[in-house]
Amino acid sequence: MSPALPAAGAKAGSRFEPAYLAGWVVLLSALVVSIAPFLYLFSLSLMDNQQIFNGTLIAWPVRLANYPEAWVATKIGTLYWNSIYISGGSMIVTVAISALAGYGLGRLEFFGKAYIYALILIGLTIPIQIALIPLFVNLRWLGLMNTPLALIGPYTAFGLAFGTYIMKAFFEELPRELEEAARIDGANDFRIFWQIMLPLTRPAIATISIFLFLQNWNEFLFALTFITDSSMRTLPTGIYALISSEFYGNYGLLAAALVLFSMPVLILYFIFQQQFIEGLTAGALKH
């Protein structure tokens, strides 16, 4: 019994060591810095201009009317719908192509595989800004301006490099014995991919889906350039149009619109945060 008591005391006392306390201070500071801007934005969304210009930090009394006014002024229902089906459509196409490409590059052997993979990875280094003018010219020539394809196509193309990179890494980590057992049972390549390998990559699919959806949801440059019809706008350009309209200067209403813009992303992340974290760490732990 006697050796156990000092050990237990040492473990309890370690929580008060300077390094341990410094770690907590750093983490709490990072937490405050991370959430403080959103909390202040939420507080602004419940104020009128007089409270804002008086330097009020916490809204009281609250002005809930900013939210219905922002909903009507931004036509945010239409913006939500446009952002959801454009971001979601691009995400689904990107994940499907990335899964097929990742399986081929990770599990199959063929001539030039390394060069094709290197060519795909170059896509990770290309900023979207340098593709803006060529895409604009081609989309106008094809008559796709102000259509959903004007965004779904570029979003898919720029997401493929990341998706293929993640899927290839996951497929390579899966044991060869599963594939060999399936072949002995008479399964062909597509059946092995669809029924055996693909279900095992759900963490990777969840990671890619969330990352791409959030990236497409927040994208502004392509949406501003390729979509000029107000009925086809997505949320970022809709908020930009609100700032440029007669509501400029109504900061409470603008803050309410920004909170409404952020809520779907926050809800999506809180629902799938476990899958997102597992997907990012699983590839590093499988060795």
Side-chain angles (χ1 to χ4, degrees):
M1 293 298 293
S2 57
L5 290 176
K11 184 177 181 181
S14 65
R15 296 187 177 184
F16 300 98
E17 291 179 354
Y20 187 84
L21 293 175
W24 269 105
V25 170
V26 171
L27 289 176
L28 288 175
S29 301
L31 177 64
V32 171
V33 170
S34 299
I35 66 173
F38 182 77
L39 293 179
Y40 183 57
L41 177 67
F42 182 68
S43 181
L44 286 178
S45 71
L46 299 174
M47 299 183 196
D48 55 26
N49 273 355
Q50 184 177 358
Q51 291 172 294
I52 294 173
F53 290 129
N54 286 339
T56 305
L57 290 179
I58 299 175
W60 189 261
V62 298
R63 189 175 187 278
L64 294 174
N66 285 335
Y67 280 92
E69 288 178 11
W71 186 279
V72 174
T74 59
K75 299 179 181 176
I76 205 163
T78 302
L79 300 179
Y80 271 145
W81 170 243
N82 291 339
S83 290
I84 287 172
Y85 81 82
I86 287 175
S87 301
S90 172
M91 178 197 72
I92 292 171
V93 175
T94 306
V95 170
I97 298 175
S98 298
L100 288 167
Y103 180 75
L105 292 169
R107 306 295 296 191
L108 305 179
E109 296 297 331
F110 54 89
F111 176 75
K113 186 174 79 169
Y115 297 105
I116 293 174
Y117 183 53
L119 192 63
I120 292 174
L121 289 185
I122 292 176
L124 291 171
T125 67
I126 299 176
I128 64 172
Q129 289 82 1
I130 67 172
L132 186 64
I133 294 177
L135 278 174
F136 180 83
V137 173
N138 284 303
L139 289 172
R140 191 172 62 173
W141 181 72
L142 293 170
L144 294 177
M145 296 289 287
N146 287 314
T147 67
L149 290 177
L151 297 180
I152 292 176
Y155 289 172
T156 302
F158 276 93
L160 278 178
F162 171 76
T164 303
Y165 172 76
I166 297 292
M167 293 303 298
K168 176 180 180 291
F170 264 76
F171 278 119
E172 283 181 336
E173 295 295 337
L174 298 178
R176 291 282 177 184
E177 290 77 7
L178 291 173
E179 188 175 346
E180 293 168 358
R183 289 193 187 281
I184 292 173
D185 289 340
N188 56 25
D189 285 332
F190 182 75
R191 187 179 173 191
I192 293 172
F193 163 74
W194 183 253
Q195 294 187 337
I196 297 173
M197 297 298 179
L198 191 61
L200 298 175
T201 61
R202 277 180 293 185
I205 293 174
T207 302
I208 297 170
S209 300
I210 296 171
F211 181 85
L212 293 177
F213 187 85
L214 297 181
Q215 177 178 273
N216 298 338
W217 183 274
N218 294 319
E219 201 283 325
F220 178 76
L221 184 61
F222 285 172
L224 180 66
T225 307
F226 302 151
I227 302 294
T228 55
D229 185 348
S230 60
S231 66
M232 291 297 302
R233 284 181 180 140
T234 56
L235 274 166
T237 53
I239 299 297
Y240 175 74
L242 178 67
I243 295 173
S244 308
S245 71
E246 70 271 20
F247 296 100
Y248 177 77
N250 190 338
Y251 297 107
L253 186 143
L254 290 175
L258 291 174
V259 171
L260 291 172
F261 166 72
S262 306
M263 290 310 294
V265 176
L266 292 175
I267 293 171
L268 184 71
Y269 180 77
F270 279 119
I271 293 175
F272 296 105
Q273 62 174 315
Q274 189 64 34
Q275 290 84 351
F276 186 65
I277 295 170
E278 286 178 359
L280 288 177
T281 57
L285 297 177
K286 289 180 179 179
H287 290 292

